[in-house]
Amino acid sequence: MAAHIEKINLIKAKDPAEALKYSAEELGAMLREASSSLRRFSSSGMEGLTGPLGIVQVGADLAAVDQLALIKFAAFISINLAVVNALPFPGLDGGQMIFVLIEALRGKRLSPRLENGINFVAVLLLASLSLTLIAGDISRGVSSLEKVMEANPLMSLPGR
């Protein structure tokens, strides 16, 4: 992953208006990238997704190369979380907005039991996705560790 990391150039604004302009441009670029990532996920499935362990690894790689890149990465993660949280999926804020919209259209709230059941199933699905991503992160980490150990005969696991 570190091979794809580029140093970030710091742009110094002349005044607050210019800083706001640069910030808006960067936010727009990050939002476009987040929505593009979401489209790629919806068309290719879980391939290329990483979980929290993979995100920490990318952050560590970035921190070793460039602190500004790490700050930009943290901002990108925050924007991605906001975009995903806004999706109209139960268990997320966007899903809650769907429930509010249904309530507005019907003139009355869905049964709390139904709403809770829908949210429960959605949270189980999200937890399953999270566990799957963590397992993938661990698998990639173990695979990477084995490659390092094969390349260096002085490093070996006990019993090998």
Side-chain angles (χ1 to χ4, degrees):
M1 182 63 77
H4 302 290
I5 298 170
E6 296 178 16
K7 281 205 168 261
I8 303 294
N9 293 324
L10 182 63
I11 299 172
K12 293 193 179 194
K14 297 175 194 142
D15 55 45
E18 188 177 50
L20 187 61
K21 176 186 153 231
Y22 289 147
S23 297
E25 288 171 357
E26 191 64 30
L27 175 62
M30 287 184 178
L31 283 170
R32 284 188 298 280
E33 179 58 34
S35 63
S36 173
S37 297
L38 197 57
R39 280 191 301 278
R40 281 193 306 270
F41 167 69
S42 66
S43 65
S44 66
M46 299 216 352
E47 187 175 318
L49 283 183
T50 188
L53 302 177
I55 291 170
V56 168
Q57 181 61 54
V58 170
D61 291 346
L62 285 168
V65 174
D66 185 9
Q67 290 179 344
L68 287 175
L70 177 62
I71 292 168
K72 185 174 181 177
F73 179 68
F76 183 67
I77 293 296
S78 295
I79 289 168
N80 267 292
L81 286 172
V83 168
V84 168
N85 196 38
L87 293 174
F89 187 80
L92 302 174
D93 288 344
Q96 293 307 113
M97 291 305 296
I98 295 298
F99 287 134
V100 169
L101 182 62
I102 290 170
E103 182 179 340
L105 293 173
R106 290 182 69 215
K108 64 178 183 175
R109 184 177 177 194
L110 286 176
S111 124
R113 184 178 170 138
L114 176 62
E115 197 172 313
N116 289 338
I118 292 170
N119 279 324
F120 179 76
V121 170
V123 169
L124 281 179
L125 289 171
L126 290 171
S128 296
L129 174 63
S130 297
L131 291 173
T132 301
L133 291 174
I134 290 170
D137 288 347
I138 291 170
S139 174
R140 280 186 295 278
V142 168
S143 169
S144 297
L145 178 60
E146 287 174 350
K147 287 178 186 173
V148 167
M149 293 170 76
E150 286 173 10
N152 186 348
L154 297 176
M155 295 178 67
S156 64
L157 291 174
R160 282 196 171 185

